[in-house]
Amino acid sequence: MRTAAGPCGRFAPSTTGEAHPGTLLAALLAWLDARSLGGRFVVRLENLDVTRCRPAWADQLLADLTWLGLDWDELVDQAQAPARARHEAALDALAAAGRLYPCACTRADRAGGRRAPDGGWAYPNTCRGRALPDGGWRAVTEAVRVRLDDDRIDLVDEGGLDLSQTPAVEMGDPVVVRRDGVLAYQLVVVVDDAASGVTRVVRGRDIAPSTATQVMLQRLLGLPRPAYRHHFLLLEPRGDKLAKLHGSVPASALRARHDAASLCGLLAAAAGLVAAPALCTPRELLATFAWDRVTNDDRVATFTDHLEIA
Ligand code: GLU
């Protein structure tokens, strides 16, 4: 594990589609946070889900970040061998501690049970009593879960968002290896943040309900806990409820209509960092960047022939 002193931030996009305005906003805010502290910045491609990720999207995403004016000191590709080795070592450690168990439950089994803080159904830890087969977690053909401690995690993030939870109860023991063999996000995110020496996790509020689970996993694995901050989201009007943007405004369309300085200005204005959209670069925003100037309110983004954020 890297032990470099000093702040280190990261941006960890899933490469499941083209970047959209929310992707670029999240990258910009994480970069501003790290760089304004004089810290390192890591970009990590979260591409373990081979059923949904494509290398072309990863390449495009990195090109989009560079186009916007962002840079990084380390690029981590989760699908490469060094990452795989540390993910497996973490699973071996959890197995040796008697924490892993196979689980054949389906989403339908959980439906109608307890509502989880992320809006899904909590997993009621039904299979906790089951043991791994001979051959360990690698021999399991069902999902593998990790038995969390039933303790409450007291946690308020840097923006004042109360993330306190008893994750084993409110979310349920997380899946760490999916039924199809893909290693799951909740485990690899904590392993990879620690491996890169990440001290500051800045990300969208949609992930906030998972943070207590991740803190519990850090505790089980003896990994340091970074500082957390969860920022506002860009939303799109869709039906009654606002839905998170799902690539409906892909970066290719944005780049066809905006130059980098105009898009950066729009994102900065949406965040409250500048009074009105103006041409600017991420580097120019550094001088006056401060979190107390960043809005807490989600904003609605629309795209007709160009991006507007209300
Ligand atoms: N990969 C996640 C996403 O693209 C972000 C994970 C994180 O920041 O912890 O939404």
Side-chain angles (χ1 to χ4, degrees):
M1 191 194 312
R2 186 186 284 267
T3 51
C8 178
R10 54 54 148 195
F11 176 56
S14 308
T15 58
T16 50
E18 268 201 66
H20 55 70
T23 318
L24 299 178
L25 173 77
L28 176 65
L29 290 174
W31 184 92
L32 287 169
D33 177 84
R35 294 302 198 209
S36 66
L37 295 168
R40 296 171 57 245
F41 192 62
V42 176
V43 172
R44 183 172 68 241
L45 302 172
E46 301 218 321
N47 54 4
L48 289 185
D49 187 348
V50 287
T51 63
R52 295 172 64 222
C53 296
R54 287 196 207 149
W57 283 327
D59 294 343
Q60 186 58 46
L61 191 125
L62 295 175
D64 294 336
L65 298 183
T66 302
W67 171 82
L68 188 64
L70 305 180
D71 62 353
W72 49 90
D73 305 295
E74 184 186 353
L75 178 67
V76 176
D77 181 340
Q78 278 188 331
Q80 297 294 314
R84 177 77 195 184
R86 62 176 176 261
H87 301 153
E88 293 200 4
L91 284 164
D92 288 339
L94 292 169
R99 293 278 176 177
L100 299 186
Y101 62 88
C103 173
C105 298
T106 63
R107 208 162 285 171
D109 294 331
R110 298 199 294 281
R114 184 188 176 112
R115 273 287 178 200
D118 65 357
W121 299 107
Y123 172 64
N125 303 333
T126 316
C127 296
R128 259 194 186 181
R130 296 181 59 199
L132 290 178
D134 293 344
W137 63 267
R138 290 175 180 81
V140 176
T141 53
E142 304 161 328
V144 178
R145 291 183 187 266
V146 57
R147 178 175 52 81
L148 302 181
D149 291 332
D150 291 331
D151 301 344
R152 180 176 163 86
I153 298 285
D154 286 309
L155 182 69
V156 177
D157 85 357
E158 279 192 356
L161 202 58
D162 190 348
L163 305 174
S164 302
Q165 251 190 49
T166 305
V169 176
E170 291 176 58
M171 301 285 280
D173 291 340
V175 169
V176 285
V177 186
R178 293 186 346 193
R179 183 187 306 265
D180 61 6
V182 171
L183 306 192
Y185 163 71
Q186 304 287 12
L187 176 78
V188 298
V189 69
V190 301
V191 171
D192 286 349
D193 280 341
S196 290
V198 168
T199 63
R200 303 189 53 74
V201 172
V202 172
R203 57 190 180 186
R205 270 201 300 245
D206 49 333
I207 306 169
S210 286
T211 306
T213 295
Q214 293 170 14
V215 167
M216 181 63 83
L217 285 168
Q218 285 153 3
R219 197 169 100 181
L220 299 185
L221 290 163
L223 300 174
R225 183 199 293 195
Y228 286 98
R229 184 183 283 272
H230 296 85
H231 58 72
F232 76 99
L233 302 175
L234 292 184
L235 308 166
E236 61 179 330
R238 188 190 276 165
D240 294 333
K241 261 192 166 181
L242 296 177
K244 193 172 169 235
L245 280 164
H246 286 299
S248 54
V249 189
S252 49
L254 289 172
R255 288 177 63 170
R257 293 290 174 185
H258 294 270
D259 58 27
S262 104
L263 189 66
C264 183
L266 273 172
L267 296 174
L273 291 171
V274 293
L279 301 184
C280 66
T281 65
R283 205 155 285 284
E284 285 162 0
L285 293 170
L286 275 179
T288 54
F289 177 75
W291 278 109
D292 59 11
R293 298 178 52 218
V294 176
T295 182
N296 277 322
D297 300 328
D298 292 345
R299 312 291 304 269
V300 175
T302 51
F303 187 84
T304 40
D305 64 331
H306 63 282
L307 182 69
E308 278 179 61
I309 304 176

